[in-house]
Amino acid sequence: AAGRPPSLAPQFLRRQQVLQLYRKILRAIREVPAEQDRRYLRDWAREEFKRNKDATEEDAIRMMITQGNMQLQELQRTLKLAKS
């Protein structure tokens, strides 16, 4: 971290957070029983992340991460209900 501008640290952590969320979403999508639904959700997730990859506004990014986490929880809840 020496010699690096301090502004890079939060960006790096944020990037890690976003990638982690993306992986969790893709992992959850793998649990979806129907192939067609899986494909649709995978494309949707990919598009959402791609569309927002150049976002730099800190509040907007935080909001998108929160939204993504809520959608992930919703998907996990739905999958759990489907299995029970």
Side-chain angles (χ1 to χ4, degrees), residues 35-64:
E35 167 63 34
Q36 195 176 355
D37 293 341
R38 266 199 314 272
R39 198 175 309 128
Y40 169 79
L41 288 168
R42 218 181 4 250
D43 291 346
W44 165 81
R46 199 174 287 138
E47 278 308 306
E48 280 296 300
F49 278 84
K50 199 184 288 177
R51 193 161 51 88
N52 294 307
K53 78 178 173 67
D54 296 324
T56 53
E57 176 65 37
E58 195 58 35
D59 290 340
I61 294 170
R62 230 192 320 268
M63 196 181 74
M64 288 185 270

Side-chain angles (χ1 to χ4, degrees), residues 8 11 14 16-17 19-20 23 28 30-32 37-39 44-45 50 59 61 63 68-69 71 74 76 78 81-82:
L8 282 180
Q11 274 180 329
R14 188 70 66 220
Q16 293 305 103
Q17 228 180 341
L19 288 172
Q20 195 175 25
R23 281 192 213 103
R30 270 188 235 136
E31 304 287 311
V32 174
D37 293 341
R38 266 199 314 272
R39 198 175 309 128
W44 165 81
K50 199 184 288 177
D59 290 340
I61 294 170
M63 196 181 74
N69 275 310
Q71 289 168 325
E74 185 60 35
Q76 289 169 332
T78 305
L81 283 174

